[in-house]
């Protein structure tokens, strides 16, 4: 064989090998591209904080989904460790011991199974209600009245006291089991107050607002007028604007200087969620692997959800959360009062149940004829609370509403 033919014979196998290599790489890339979302989803499912607080709980019917969003006013991470000083400085939220474990944000998100408009109900944090689900208590028993935001922290402290009495000294175990008790109590208290099931929950700490906004590249909001508040760090002009992480936390935390105080802060939280949802939809986050990974990384740091929640299915359902299909409502209060727990919101729990049932579920149960009698029926909940400890001052009794179709302007 001539040298020329030997050279060509060596060249052909190389070309074939190169072709096979390119085909293999191309195939791998195609598989990765097609399975990227699935990989990210599995990564999120395996690494996000997981809770068993909803085990055995009653579920919604007809494919409906109720998700309780809980925002903790905590300066600590999921292991109970203080957030880094660099983060605390950005949050403008004081030291790690401030805030405790109050759930200053409580929003029930209802996603109908028939694809109709989603609704979100904000529960003012100072609503004075019967607490449920406290460690050591009988199932369904009340544990006295307090602000609804305190159920988590009180249950956490009680469970940690129980464990300490049993000789448990492991700080991480105390934190882990204490938080599980807190979640269970908060969820059960909300469930009893509203009279509807809670199918899933997501818990977010203070840093979560910061990291979510950063992962999204900013969150659009709109203010009716300029504000400046040294307590929260809020310093914003009037009109539409996009907030970074630090600004977002100040935006949702401000209550000083607002006409409605805490009730206006609730509207801020709704406006933030509406803006974040709009940004998610417009940015194509769920189809952009880089953006999705940033969002997943943020969730790993700050979010805890119930075990077994199929997030991929919920994301598909969440199409209803964009394009003007979320209706935000702040639940009404009847008045304001003051007692040993400080300033409280006086609420009519049967009125709340009726409002919720009219909008997302079966009719509210009839008022029990005897104290402590268990109401029956699919919308069953608990008897109304006792009269307030002090005469209330006048307050709006009509629910405040925001249309989440775009970026609503708020005070």
């Amino acid at each position: 064989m001539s040298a020329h033919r030997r050279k060509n014979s060596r060249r052909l196998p190389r070309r074939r090998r190169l072709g096979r290599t390119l085909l293999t790489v191309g195939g791998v890339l195609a598989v990765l591209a097609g399975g990227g979302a699935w990989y990210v989803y599995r990564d999120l499912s395996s690494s996000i904080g997981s809770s068993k607080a909803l085990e055995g709980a009653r579920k919604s019917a007809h494919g409906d989904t109720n998700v309780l969003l809980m925002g903790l006013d905590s300066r600590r991470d999921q292991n109970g460790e203080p957030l880094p000083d660099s983060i605390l400085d950005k949050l403008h939220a004081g030291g790690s011991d401030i805030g405790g474990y109050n759930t200053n944000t409580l929003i029930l998100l209802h996603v109908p199974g028939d694809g109709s408009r989603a609704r979100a109900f904000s529960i003012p944090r100072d609503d004075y209600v019967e607490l449920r689900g406290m460690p050591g208590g009988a199932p369904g028993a009340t544990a006295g009245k307090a602000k609804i935001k305190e159920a988590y922290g009180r249950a956490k402290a009680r469970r940690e006291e129980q464990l300490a009495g049993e000789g448990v000294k492991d700080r991480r175990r105390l934190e882990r089991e204490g938080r599980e008790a807190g979640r269970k109590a908060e969820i059960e208290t909300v469930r009893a107050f509203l009279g509807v099931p809670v199918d899933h929950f997501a818990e977010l700490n203070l840093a979560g607002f910061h990291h979510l906004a950063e992962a999204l590249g900013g969150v659009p909001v709109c203010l009716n007028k300029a504000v400046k508040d040294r307590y929260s760090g809020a310093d914003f002009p009037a009109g539409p604007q996009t907030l970074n992480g630090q600004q977002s936390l100040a935006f949702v935390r401000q209550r000083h200087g607002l006409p409605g105080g805490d009730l206006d802060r609730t509207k801020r939280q709704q406006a933030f969620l509406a803006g974040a949802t709009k940004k998610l939809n417009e940015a194509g986050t769920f189809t952009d692997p880089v953006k999705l990974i940033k969002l997943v990384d943020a969730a790993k740091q700050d979010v805890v959800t119930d075990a077994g929640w199929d997030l991929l299915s919920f994301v598909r359902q969440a199409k209803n959360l964009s394009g003007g299909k979320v209706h935000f409502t702040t639940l009404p209060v009847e008045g304001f009062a003051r007692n040993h727990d400080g300033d409280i919101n006086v609420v009519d729990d049967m009125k709340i149940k009726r409002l919720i049932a009219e909008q997302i579920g079966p009719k509210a149960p009839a008022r029990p004829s005897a104290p402590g009698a268990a109401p029956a029926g699919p919308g069953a909940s608990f008897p109304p609370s006792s009269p307030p400890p002090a005469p209330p001052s006048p307050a709006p009794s009509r629910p405040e509403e925001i249309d989440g179709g775009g970026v609503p302007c708020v005070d």
Side-chain angles (χ1 to χ4, degrees), residues 3 10 69 103 128 146 160 163 183 281 310 339 354 392 399:
R10 289 195 299 268
L69 307 176
T103 50
Y128 204 62
E160 289 176 355
L163 291 170
R183 292 166 189 137
N281 187 50
D310 186 347
N339 67 1
R354 284 194 297 270

Side-chain angles (χ1 to χ4, degrees), residues 80-354:
E81 301 293 341
L83 295 174
D85 289 339
S86 58
I87 294 293
L88 289 174
D89 289 342
K90 288 181 180 179
L91 300 185
H92 204 275
S96 60
D97 292 326
I98 297 174
Y101 288 89
N102 289 331
T103 50
N104 278 355
T105 302
L106 284 170
I107 298 176
L108 184 79
L109 175 64
H110 175 75
V111 182
D114 62 6
S116 59
R117 192 177 201 188
R119 290 182 174 271
F121 300 89
S122 291
I123 307 170
R125 64 175 188 163
D126 291 337
D127 283 4
Y128 204 62
V129 303
E130 294 283 358
L131 300 187
R132 309 271 177 171
M134 290 292 134
T142 67
K145 296 187 70 175
K147 298 176 184 180
I148 196 166
K149 68 178 182 181
E150 296 177 354
Y152 192 115
R154 291 190 180 208
K156 178 180 184 294
R158 185 176 297 187
R159 180 57 181 153
E160 289 176 355
E161 288 173 4
Q162 289 176 345
L163 291 170
E166 296 168 5
V168 176
K169 296 181 180 179
D170 185 303
R171 187 167 52 82
R172 290 215 166 186
R173 181 185 170 189
L174 291 170
E175 181 73 15
R176 182 177 65 254
E177 294 195 28
R179 286 204 178 193
E180 279 289 86
R183 292 166 189 137
K184 187 173 182 180
E186 192 68 57
I187 292 167
E188 192 167 330
T189 297
V190 169
R191 187 166 52 216
F193 181 47
L194 301 186
V196 294
V198 173
D199 302 290
H200 300 292
F201 81 89
E203 172 189 307
L204 187 73
N205 65 17
L206 267 183
F209 289 99
H210 177 278
H211 292 141
L212 173 60
E214 292 293 305
L216 290 174
V219 171
V221 300
C222 179
L223 284 171
N224 288 321
K225 58 184 179 182
V227 295
K228 188 168 185 177
D229 171 42
R230 66 183 179 87
Y231 295 99
S232 64
D235 187 0
F236 308 120
Q241 54 207 284
T242 298
L243 307 181
N244 63 24
Q246 184 172 349
Q247 293 169 327
S248 293
L249 185 66
F251 179 80
V252 299
R253 290 186 65 241
Q254 185 187 1
R255 62 188 175 95
H256 296 281
L258 300 181
D262 260 355
L263 297 183
D264 279 345
R265 175 158 69 173
T266 298
K267 295 178 189 176
R268 293 285 191 88
Q269 295 164 358
Q270 295 169 353
F272 176 85
L273 288 175
T277 300
K278 186 174 189 292
K279 189 65 177 287
L280 276 169
N281 187 50
E282 291 181 347
T285 302
F286 295 119
T287 57
D288 185 326
V290 174
K291 292 178 181 177
L292 187 56
I293 288 171
K294 286 183 180 179
L295 194 62
V296 168
D297 285 342
K300 290 178 189 177
Q301 298 179 69
D302 311 305
V303 178
V304 174
T305 67
D306 54 291
W309 186 5
D310 186 347
L311 292 173
L312 188 60
S313 292
F314 183 74
V315 165
R316 289 172 181 153
Q317 243 187 329
K319 290 183 296 183
N320 293 322
L321 307 185
S322 61
K325 293 188 177 179
V326 184
H327 187 79
F328 290 92
T329 300
T330 301
L331 296 180
V333 300
E334 301 304 307
F336 305 108
R338 186 173 181 82
N339 67 1
H340 59 280
D341 285 324
D343 295 324
I344 62 172
N345 297 336
V346 179
V347 293
D348 182 337
D349 61 344
M350 293 307 295
K351 180 177 179 179
I352 296 293
K353 289 179 178 65
R354 284 194 297 270

